[in-house]
Amino acid sequence: MTIFNQILWAGCGVFFSWHAFAQQKNVANILPTKNTYAITAVDSQADIIQKAAHVVPTARQYEALQDEFIAFIHMGPNTFTKMEWGNGKEDPRIFDLKELDTDQWCRTMKSAGMKKVILTVKHHDGFVLWQSRYTDHGIMSTGFKNGKGDILKDLSFSCQKYGLKLGIYLSPADLFQIENEKGCYGNLSKYTNRTIPRRVEGRPFENKTTFQFEVDDYNEYFLNQLFELLTEYGPVHELWFDGAHPKTKGGQKYNYAAWRELINMLAPNAVIFGKEDVRWCGNESGATRKTEWNVIPYDADPHSLEGFKDLTDEDLGSREKLYSAKYLHYQQAETNTSIREGWFYRDDVYQKVRSADDVFDIYERAVGGNSTFLLNIPPNREGRFSDEDVQVLTEVGKRIKEGYSTNLLQKATAPKQLLDDNQATVFRVKEDAIEFKTAQPIRTNRFVLQEAVQQNGERIERHAIDIWKDGGWKQIAEGTNVGYKRILRFPMVEASRFRLRVLESRAIPVLTTVGAYLVPVGPPQLAIHPDLDGKVEIRPHRHEFGWKPHGEDVLANLQSEYRIYYTIDGSEPTSKSPLYTGPFLPTTNNIKAVAIDSDGQRGAIVEEILGIAKRDWKVLSSSGAREKFAVDKAIDGNENSFWHSPSRGADQFVEIDLGRAYDVSGFAYTPQRKHGEGMMAKGVLKVSLDGKNWQGAGSFEFGNLINDPSKRKHLFGNKVNTRYIRIISTEITGGGNSLSIAELDFYN
């Protein structure tokens, strides 16, 4: 029976729930470690938990865990059609690649701290990026290098040059083989004995290994391609099988047992994603679970399963989940998302890129939450990573290197096994807490813990970190499980005594690493927002990224501590300027602001010239509006909403009543940034004091809106006294015939 003892910690005000841990503190492991444990009918709940505490990763799983931060590359016909999923009917010549720079890819990934890259050599459309013997639907039928190009080969050479591991994404789905009348997907062929690889005249293999499998035509096709990929492109460290199927045919089944046998023989060090080695985290947004157990329950032996379900529940491995298991298996999570809005490159304007803060936050949540972070970086149509992607990745790599290179506890008085940076040395936690003392106070905002999962499994269920302050222990952070790695984040503290408490555990905790780090978290970029009454709010800039939102408060997660200072007289704000405490009504229209952290580090100064307050504005008339894009959205104070007119030509208009007469000096136009339609390249203005008698107020022109859809200002030569303003477009970018406006502002 599991025994629950509660021990009151003096001065802490918390209870220590030991479960079976209290009895086992001085007992050696009573079970051998395994990758998978079967549950028997006579196993008690305590027996099940003991087995769970002795489930460990295989050698190749543990090696993959240590990769931590890895890359995805999606490239193919979709890069040129701007689609996310192709249909398999594309002419290969659509793939109009002229240049390719895989060295630039690998330099960038290396600088970001990534250790492995997985290339989508075949997506669901069936187009292949290597010189396959078994299809002509691929790069061999394009103009790239006169049909002789091989993106996988180039990437393999670059990986070796820059010290990155190589992985391969090969989609089991294949729309070309479905749509092509000679395609083999679902063609109802019989299962017969086939030799893999099938011989192709003039294209012999250097590797003379052969296999015999009872398979149908499509499984033979797939196995032949796997053989090419695993024997001709250097070591492969991960095979990625997507479970998505845009279309199926003929009841096609996959013979995964044959795939597994071939992979294990040709690439014994490769983990297989989507199968027994590595699982999907359950979303594509970069969302992570608060508690990510890699020891999870199965109803059947995963080593003999053909199909694996997507596991999307928030709780996968708690005690309650394990009690109903028939098997307990180590299957690590991979947190995958994209740096851009979508898996494939579309453009550098409307396809938004994640901020460095966002990517770094996902890194700390994923890698620091017992999973691997897989970030997609789609190359552009010039065969390179775009500049903005490179800037973000370089900044993330800089933060990782600066923040996690030096363990501030390295010379502390503490168990040496925890501070020697050696995963092979371990420390069994037999006492109530582990204390760390440094010769001088250190400043830290991160603690990193690692269990010896490769030797002893996942055990810790709840833990906390304390510092000694003002004559007593003060808790600064707590977490649930640890597993391969847990990063605890908290506001910066300074102390010379720290302690780790294990509050709940499945068996004696065995740790391999404890570290304290100071991660640079600079002040955020700010944005100044006036409301309809002219009150000003100053807040961190909200980076635009609308694809699959993860719902996380990135700045709060990063524990950025700062204050905002502002001026209204045009001077540069400093720490001696007024402190921003909440929205205020300024007495001038020129606002400058800056964020400054506790170390005195300053963010970028932001400046905003305020327009006329919009509370009394009204739209009197317009050239019409599309459904859900009403014209009043052009003056609602929200740049994320917009008016969009019907498609009736370049001449569109909107007429606005400012509520009373003002001396107007100019106006600003903010284009909508959801897509490229309706941007106002040229126009004219008319003004009126009574709304009846109108006079011209000049013309305006905004250049390069498609490449730079930012807020644009047009100032009059002289101020114009007016109450009513009519803006008329005369040219829409790209020859468009409708007008869109996210926001209009007028200045006095």
Side-chain angles (χ1 to χ4, degrees):
M1 296 290 291
T2 301
I3 298 174
F4 296 85
N5 292 325
Q6 292 184 325
I7 301 174
L8 178 64
W9 281 75
C12 295
V14 297
F15 287 89
F16 191 99
S17 300
W18 288 92
H19 297 297
F21 184 23
Q23 284 191 324
Q24 298 164 358
K25 284 173 66 179
N26 297 303
V27 179
N29 289 345
I30 58 175
L31 291 174
T33 56
K34 295 182 179 181
N35 187 239
T36 306
Y37 254 109
I39 304 301
T40 68
V42 298
D43 282 338
S44 66
Q45 290 186 348
D47 293 331
I48 292 172
I49 298 305
Q50 273 298 296
K51 286 184 174 181
H54 292 81
V55 173
V56 298
T58 62
R60 64 189 184 191
Q61 284 179 311
Y62 185 65
E63 182 182 341
L65 278 170
Q66 292 177 295
D67 293 335
E68 299 191 344
F69 187 20
I70 62 179
F72 231 169
I73 303 289
H74 279 69
M75 192 178 197
N78 297 343
T79 306
F80 295 88
T81 63
K82 303 183 182 181
M83 302 292 289
E84 278 295 282
W85 280 12
N87 58 26
K89 301 176 183 179
E90 294 88 355
D91 185 328
R93 289 174 294 182
I94 286 174
F95 187 81
D96 190 24
L97 188 66
K98 299 292 192 296
E99 298 177 9
L100 180 69
D101 192 348
T102 55
D103 274 4
Q104 186 244 14
W105 301 1
C106 289
R107 275 196 311 273
T108 302
M109 292 183 288
K110 188 76 172 180
S111 71
M114 294 170 156
K115 297 178 183 176
K116 180 168 62 185
V117 52
I118 300 169
L119 177 66
T120 54
V121 296
K122 185 187 81 166
H123 202 246
H124 311 322
D125 52 32
F127 183 95
V128 303
L129 297 183
W130 80 99
Q131 291 289 333
S132 177
R133 297 162 174 80
Y134 303 101
T135 184
D136 60 3
H137 188 67
I139 199 163
M140 68 288 294
S141 298
T142 75
F144 181 57
K145 294 186 178 179
N146 296 316
K148 303 299 182 182
D150 192 321
I151 293 177
L152 180 58
K153 180 175 289 186
D154 285 359
L155 179 58
S156 175
F157 288 151
S158 294
C159 283
Q160 294 173 35
K161 181 177 178 179
Y162 288 93
L164 295 174
K165 297 177 182 177
L166 178 65
I168 289 172
Y169 171 122
L170 187 69
S171 173
D174 194 316
L175 288 168
F176 175 74
Q177 293 296 331
I178 289 176
E179 302 293 353
N180 178 12
E181 63 180 15
K182 296 181 180 179
C184 59
Y185 189 107
N187 66 357
L188 304 179
S189 57
K190 293 182 179 180
Y191 269 62
T192 58
N193 188 60
R194 320 278 180 113
T195 299
I196 306 296
R198 177 169 55 82
R199 292 180 59 187
V200 175
E201 192 67 31
R203 296 283 303 275
F205 286 98
E206 184 176 333
N207 188 309
K208 302 305 180 184
T209 307
T210 60
F211 298 84
Q212 298 294 320
F213 293 119
E214 289 281 332
V215 290
D216 63 358
D217 287 352
Y218 184 70
N219 278 287
E220 179 191 2
Y221 174 74
F222 200 84
L223 287 162
N224 281 327
Q225 292 193 326
L226 276 175
F227 189 92
E228 289 180 312
L229 296 169
L230 298 179
T231 60
E232 297 188 321
Y233 293 92
V236 174
H237 290 87
E238 183 163 349
L239 271 297
W240 221 93
F241 296 141
D242 199 329
H245 286 81
K247 188 175 182 179
T248 59
K249 176 184 174 183
Q252 180 67 56
K253 301 295 183 184
Y254 302 141
N255 190 335
Y256 176 60
W259 303 1
R260 178 196 287 125
E261 182 179 337
L262 183 142
I263 293 167
N264 288 342
M265 178 65 70
L266 297 178
N269 296 321
V271 290
I272 305 173
F273 175 92
K275 302 301 179 182
E276 64 271 20
D277 292 329
V278 183
R279 60 186 165 83
W280 185 42
C281 68
N283 66 83
E284 296 178 338
S285 66
T288 50
R289 296 178 177 86
K290 181 181 178 181
T291 304
E292 186 73 78
W293 290 102
N294 286 335
V295 177
I296 58 176
Y298 267 89
D299 292 333
D301 185 352
H303 293 285
S304 60
L305 279 178
E306 285 280 315
F308 290 76
K309 298 178 181 178
D310 289 335
L311 303 177
T312 59
D313 291 347
E314 182 64 24
D315 178 9
L316 297 181
S318 69
R319 289 176 176 243
E320 291 302 318
K321 292 290 183 181
L322 300 185
Y323 292 151
S324 59
K326 294 182 180 178
Y327 288 85
L328 300 177
H329 175 61
Y330 194 97
Q331 188 185 32
Q332 61 223 51
E334 212 172 66
T335 300
N336 67 318
T337 192
S338 183
I339 196 170
R340 285 181 166 258
E341 294 177 329
W343 294 107
F344 289 87
Y345 175 87
R346 293 196 298 277
D347 61 68
D348 283 328
V349 178
Y350 305 109
Q351 187 183 29
K352 299 297 184 289
V353 177
R354 289 188 189 275
S355 67
D357 281 345
D358 193 3
V359 174
F360 186 66
D361 173 55
I362 299 172
Y363 168 85
E364 290 193 309
R365 286 190 285 107
V367 176
N370 200 30
S371 76
T372 301
F373 181 20
L374 172 60
L375 181 65
N376 180 64
I377 316 154
N380 59 29
R381 287 182 283 278
E382 286 70 51
R384 296 171 57 85
F385 291 162
S386 291
D387 290 345
E388 188 174 356
D389 306 51
V390 172
Q391 291 168 7
V392 169
L393 291 166
T394 302
E395 172 62 23
V396 170
K398 179 182 176 183
R399 293 188 192 184
I400 294 171
K401 186 175 182 179
E402 289 182 357
Y404 289 104
S405 291
T406 302
N407 183 354
L408 301 174
L409 298 179
Q410 202 167 40
K411 297 181 180 179
T413 302
K416 63 180 181 179
Q417 301 97 314
L418 300 177
L419 307 176
D420 62 3
D421 197 28
N422 185 346
Q423 296 290 309
T425 58
V426 302
F427 180 77
R428 299 170 66 81
V429 184
K430 297 181 180 180
E431 302 300 326
D432 298 340
I434 308 171
E435 188 170 339
F436 302 82
K437 296 181 182 179
T438 59
Q440 299 294 330
I442 63 169
R443 296 193 308 156
T444 178
N445 58 3
R446 301 289 191 273
F447 249 73
V448 175
L449 312 177
Q450 291 187 270
E451 288 187 272
V453 293
Q454 76 277 30
Q455 296 114 319
N456 298 89
E458 300 182 333
R459 300 185 172 189
I460 295 173
E461 294 173 301
R462 196 162 64 89
H463 62 286
I465 301 293
D466 307 324
I467 62 171
W468 183 264
K469 183 177 181 180
D470 299 330
W473 288 107
K474 176 186 177 183
Q475 181 174 305
I476 58 170
E478 64 178 332
T480 55
N481 70 324
V482 173
Y484 167 73
K485 180 175 283 190
R486 169 68 73 172
I487 297 176
L488 294 164
R489 305 188 283 189
F490 46 88
M492 195 271 292
V493 297
E494 186 169 356
S496 58
R497 292 178 65 187
F498 302 83
R499 74 175 178 183
L500 164 65
R501 288 177 290 125
V502 179
L503 304 177
E504 296 180 31
S505 186
R506 294 176 173 180
I508 300 173
V510 184
L511 294 168
T512 182
T513 300
V514 176
Y517 299 87
L518 183 61
V519 171
V521 182
Q525 180 182 351
L526 299 176
I528 297 172
H529 294 275
D531 67 11
L532 295 179
D533 292 316
K535 271 191 172 182
V536 169
E537 180 184 10
I538 308 173
R539 61 177 185 244
H541 171 70
R542 294 174 182 170
H543 187 80
E544 289 187 50
F545 193 85
W547 185 73
K548 300 180 185 290
H550 50 54
E552 294 283 344
D553 186 336
V554 172
L555 284 178
N557 288 345
L558 295 177
Q559 299 289 341
S560 178
E561 290 187 300
Y562 58 90
R563 290 185 173 187
I564 297 173
Y565 299 90
Y566 70 95
T567 61
I568 60 173
D569 60 2
S571 63
E572 299 292 292
T574 69
S575 58
K576 295 181 180 180
S577 301
L579 175 67
Y580 175 76
T581 57
F584 64 97
L585 192 62
T587 56
T588 68
N589 66 351
N590 187 358
I591 310 295
K592 291 184 179 181
V594 67
I596 303 177
D597 67 17
S598 55
D599 288 332
Q601 184 177 353
R602 295 160 54 91
I605 292 175
V606 61
E607 180 178 11
E608 184 70 28
I609 304 298
L610 304 180
I612 300 169
K614 301 180 181 181
R615 176 64 67 186
D616 298 326
W617 292 15
K618 293 179 181 178
V619 175
L620 296 182
S621 63
S622 73
S623 50
R626 297 183 182 182
E627 186 179 359
K628 298 182 181 180
F629 299 98
V631 68
D632 59 1
K633 294 182 183 296
I635 58 169
D636 63 357
N638 180 5
E639 294 183 359
N640 293 317
S641 66
F642 59 93
W643 165 53
H644 205 142
S645 75
S647 299
R648 296 172 182 167
D651 294 331
Q652 306 280 348
F653 79 95
V654 58
E655 188 177 301
I656 296 168
D657 176 4
L658 301 180
R660 66 176 179 85
Y662 292 91
D663 289 330
V664 178
S665 62
F667 86 103
Y669 162 62
T670 302
Q672 59 85 12
R673 292 185 287 273
K674 301 298 182 183
H675 51 76
E677 187 181 358
M679 291 189 176
M680 184 165 54
K682 294 181 181 180
V684 297
L685 294 109
K686 293 186 177 182
V687 296
S688 172
L689 280 170
D690 59 7
K692 297 177 181 178
N693 299 298
W694 294 87
Q695 62 183 21
S699 61
F700 58 87
E701 179 176 352
F702 301 128
N704 199 32
L705 279 168
I706 290 178
N707 293 317
D708 179 19
S710 59
K711 185 176 184 177
R712 303 301 181 87
K713 293 180 181 178
H714 172 78
L715 299 179
F716 305 148
N718 297 297
K719 288 189 176 184
V720 178
N721 185 251
T722 187
R723 171 173 174 170
Y724 303 93
I725 300 178
R726 182 184 295 162
I727 294 180
I728 306 166
S729 63
T730 58
E731 182 180 322
I732 308 298
T733 56
N737 59 7
S738 65
L739 175 63
S740 64
I741 298 176
E743 206 65 29
L744 289 173
D745 292 278
F746 296 96
Y747 302 101
N748 61 359

